[in-house]
């Protein structure tokens, strides 16, 4: 499988690339230049054809939605919304099969401790990153899944080791949201290519 | 009341400014200069400029956001999504409790999902804008506003429009959208939104469809009439009569 990983400058993306490279072809991208020994393509994730070229030939995208160092809130919000839209629009146009969005379990931190919070519960973002930006990236992605143009798996990451996250990504790649949807019956409302999984513990 | 109008030099802005001017002090901003004399103070401002929006909101009692750029894939996000974030940050900074935001009907009811098939479409449905750029960027702005109202004592009223008409220019038999309103009638809802006791609103985040009474029943303006006291004019009925 040929996999594109965003936020190449972030440690988690690097760790995922190291893990996935054992069985897949990896391309890294970032909104600034990053030094790496792996295949790297700079992309501002704009709405020009370069974002289509970035996603052409890709089977799955792991969209990490991490800020650049020192990036202000407004720019982080722009990256989480507009850039996610551009990336997913290009992915849909280029026939990418699957998107894995790395979100945060902090979205559910507003529920009282001890509650068995499930993926179907409403997120409770704050007005600051990372919960606001991750939430908005989820919201943008959900509309692509709603329209059926992409299968989107959201992994809301809590306190979890890179190994645990890597296993979750492996499982998501093995059964993309769109495939999972096909396996559900119509009575269960399986038409949408959208799934959410909580990984690790709430802080 | 001191009222900041963002995007006030667009198509709707002059109608709203003329409606509000007799009772309110207006500070009108836009990225482009107005094409006609507007009441109040005018500031050149990009809604995507956080510091500028915060500065413009100083000493204001309410913010009305009419900003819209629909089609460009950079500016649509700048104005409709980041612009809402900037507006809400400005409201927090200055303790402004009353915000009125605007957008198209499909901010909540994506036209690919409901408009073709359904009737009695109400504004209080889970937003499902789809990936249409205009709908999605406005929906993301709405969601940002909603999140802020969960954490701050700010009330946001969203007024969603579809199609505006100048009654004098309507041609017999011309096509029209599933909901329509005259420019003058649409401006009147902003007076209601500035006058209403915020405690009379069901919550700090409310969405309203603003349009004339129409016979086909596709969308419902009942909530707007019931809560805001909106009185639709009968000035676009020539469209179907």
């Amino acid at each position: 499988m040929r996999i594109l990983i965003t936020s190449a400058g972030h440690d988690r993306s690097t760790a995922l690339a190291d893990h996935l490279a054992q069985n897949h072809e990896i391309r890294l991208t970032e909104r600034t230049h990053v030094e790496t020994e792996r295949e790297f393509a700079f992309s501002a994730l704009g709405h020009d054809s370069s974002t289509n070229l970035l996603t052409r030939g890709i089977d799955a995208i792991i969209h990490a939605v991490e800020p650049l160092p020192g990036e202000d809130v407004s720019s982080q919000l722009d990256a989480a919304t507009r850039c996610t839209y551009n990336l997913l629009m290009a992915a849909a146009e280029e026939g990418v099969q699957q998107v894995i969005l790395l979100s945060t379990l902090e979205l559910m931190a507003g529920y009282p401790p001890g509650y068995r919070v499930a993926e179907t519960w409403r997120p409770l973002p704050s007005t600051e990153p990372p919960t606001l930006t991750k939430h908005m990236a989820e919201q943008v992605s959900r509309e692509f899944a709603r329209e059926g143009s992409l299968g989107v798996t959201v992994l809301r990451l809590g306190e979890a080791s890179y190994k645990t996250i890597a296993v979750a990504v492996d499982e998501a790649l093995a059964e993309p949201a769109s495939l999972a949807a096909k396996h559900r019956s119509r009575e269960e409302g399986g038409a949408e290519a959208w799934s959410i999984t909580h990984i690790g513990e709430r802080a | 009341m001191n009222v900041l109008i963002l995007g006030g030099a667009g198509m709707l802005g002059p109608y709203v400014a003329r409606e509000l001017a007799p009772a309110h002090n207006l500070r009108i901003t836009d990225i482009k200069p107005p094409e006609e004399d507007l009441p109040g103070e005018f500031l050149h401002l990009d809604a995507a400029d956080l510091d500028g929006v915060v500065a413009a909101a100083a000493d204001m009692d309410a913010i009305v956001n009419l900003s819209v750029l629909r089609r460009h894939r950079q500016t649509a996000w700048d104005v409709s999504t980041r612009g809402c974030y900037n507006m809400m940050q400005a409201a927090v900074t200055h303790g402004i409790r009353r915000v009125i935001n605007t957008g198209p009907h499909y901010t909540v009811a994506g036209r690919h999902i409901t408009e073709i098939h359904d009737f009695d479409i109400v504004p209080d449905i889970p937003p499902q804008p789809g990936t249409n750029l205009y709908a999605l960027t406005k929906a993301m702005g709405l969601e940002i506003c909603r999140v802020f109202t969960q954490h701050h004592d700010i009330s946001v009223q969203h007024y969603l429009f579809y199609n505006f008409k100048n009654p004098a220019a309507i041609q017999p038999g011309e096509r029209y959208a599933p909901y329509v309103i005259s420019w003058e009638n649409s401006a009147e809802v902003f007076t209601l939104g500035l006058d209403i006791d915020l405690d009379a609103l069901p919550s700090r985040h409310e969405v309203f469809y603003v349009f004339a009474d129409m016979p086909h029943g596709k969308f419902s303006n009942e909530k707007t009439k019931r809560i805001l006291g909106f009185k639709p004019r009968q000035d676009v009925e020539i469209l179907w009569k």
Side-chain angles (χ1 to χ4, degrees):
Chain A
M1 189 178 282
R2 191 155 171 76
I3 299 172
L4 174 70
I5 304 176
T6 66
S7 300
H10 193 269
D11 289 347
R12 186 187 296 124
S13 293
T14 304
L16 276 174
D18 291 343
H19 170 75
L20 293 170
Q22 299 170 54
N23 296 305
H24 304 283
E25 289 182 56
I26 303 299
R27 176 185 293 171
L28 289 162
T29 187
E30 180 58 286
R31 292 176 289 124
T32 187
H33 290 281
V34 170
E35 289 296 324
T36 174
E37 294 179 353
R38 302 198 182 282
E39 179 184 338
F40 175 81
F42 162 80
S43 175
L45 299 180
H47 57 272
D48 57 296
S49 59
S50 68
T51 307
N52 284 70
L53 289 175
L54 179 71
T55 59
R56 191 162 298 164
I58 294 292
D59 300 302
I61 296 173
I62 299 174
H63 187 30
V65 203
E66 294 294 342
L68 297 174
E71 195 169 37
D72 63 38
V73 176
S74 184
S75 298
Q76 289 184 49
L77 190 61
D78 182 51
T81 54
R82 182 182 60 83
C83 293
T84 294
Y85 180 79
N86 289 336
L87 176 67
L88 269 57
M89 186 62 77
E93 290 170 353
E94 297 298 331
V96 174
Q97 295 295 305
Q98 183 183 14
V99 174
I100 298 173
L101 179 69
L102 302 184
S103 184
T104 176
L105 202 43
E106 286 185 46
L107 281 169
M108 316 306 273
Y111 289 106
Y115 278 31
R116 294 194 300 277
V117 176
E119 286 85 348
T120 53
W121 291 27
R122 182 177 206 153
L124 302 174
S126 76
T127 59
E128 299 292 332
T131 62
L132 181 63
T133 46
K134 294 282 192 178
H135 176 63
M136 298 311 296
E138 284 192 16
Q139 296 281 301
V140 171
S141 303
R142 187 181 63 175
E143 296 309 308
F144 285 87
R146 191 195 300 280
E147 291 184 347
S149 55
L150 286 170
V152 180
T153 303
V154 178
L155 301 180
R156 289 195 185 130
L157 307 178
E159 292 185 348
S161 67
Y162 284 161
K163 183 178 180 181
T164 300
I165 295 169
V167 169
V169 169
D170 283 340
E171 290 175 353
L173 289 169
E175 187 175 7
S178 55
L179 187 59
K182 288 176 186 172
H183 287 172
R184 292 195 295 269
S185 69
R186 285 184 179 276
E187 289 77 9
E188 291 172 322
E192 288 188 14
W194 171 253
S195 73
I196 302 170
T197 304
H198 290 174
I199 308 296
E201 300 295 323
R202 282 195 291 155
Chain B
M1 191 179 289
N2 294 331
V3 181
L4 172 66
I5 301 180
L6 301 171
M11 297 183 72
L12 180 58
Y15 293 95
V16 175
R18 286 193 290 270
E19 164 72 19
L20 299 182
H24 302 284
N25 302 311
L26 304 183
R27 179 178 292 162
I28 299 173
T29 74
D30 205 300
I31 197 168
K32 63 178 184 181
E35 295 180 355
E36 58 186 283
D37 286 339
L38 297 177
E41 172 190 9
F42 180 81
L43 296 176
H44 179 267
L45 177 65
D46 182 350
D49 173 5
L50 173 60
D51 293 339
V53 173
V54 171
D59 303 320
M60 294 291 112
D61 302 302
I63 304 175
V64 174
N65 183 17
L66 306 178
S67 302
V68 57
L69 282 167
R70 301 176 186 179
R71 295 185 180 89
H72 190 275
R73 280 177 58 175
Q74 174 75 50
T75 52
W77 291 100
D78 288 347
V79 169
S80 299
T81 302
R82 278 208 289 179
C84 278
Y85 175 81
N86 296 343
M87 172 179 68
M88 297 307 290
Q89 283 290 8
V92 171
T93 299
H94 298 293
I96 299 168
R97 294 188 61 226
R98 189 183 301 266
V99 173
I100 298 174
N101 191 43
T102 56
H105 69 291
Y106 54 13
T107 299
V108 294
R111 61 183 165 195
H112 61 288
I113 294 172
T114 54
E115 181 181 322
I116 296 171
H117 308 289
D118 300 318
F119 294 94
D120 289 329
I121 303 169
V122 295
D124 291 327
I125 59 174
Q128 41 200 300
T131 62
N132 173 282
L133 182 65
Y134 185 27
L136 183 58
T137 54
K138 283 289 185 179
M140 295 302 98
L142 181 145
E143 177 64 7
I144 288 169
C145 291
R146 188 193 67 79
V147 171
F148 269 82
T149 64
Q150 302 302 300
H151 297 277
H152 299 280
D153 184 18
I154 302 172
S155 177
V156 180
Q157 302 169 59
H158 296 273
Y159 297 162
L160 303 187
F161 300 96
Y162 196 148
N163 188 212
F164 298 96
K165 294 288 186 186
N166 175 359
I170 294 175
Q171 299 297 314
E174 80 174 52
R175 295 172 64 87
Y176 57 95
Y179 78 69
V180 176
I181 191 167
S182 68
W183 292 102
E184 290 82 0
N185 198 186
S186 68
E188 290 166 353
V189 76
F190 293 88
T191 289
L192 301 172
L194 292 177
D195 288 348
I196 193 170
D197 179 355
L198 294 181
D199 292 333
L201 293 168
S203 76
R204 291 204 295 255
H205 187 260
E206 292 294 330
V207 183
F208 300 92
Y209 288 155
V210 185
F211 64 100
D213 289 333
M214 299 180 75
H216 53 59
K218 274 283 180 189
F219 290 84
S220 170
N221 61 5
E222 183 274 337
K223 178 184 176 184
T224 312
K225 293 189 285 189
R226 171 171 46 86
I227 294 177
L228 296 180
F230 178 64
K231 292 184 168 44
R233 297 187 190 181
Q234 297 178 329
D235 56 359
V236 293
E237 294 185 346
I238 191 175
L239 287 167
W240 58 85
K241 280 187 174 176

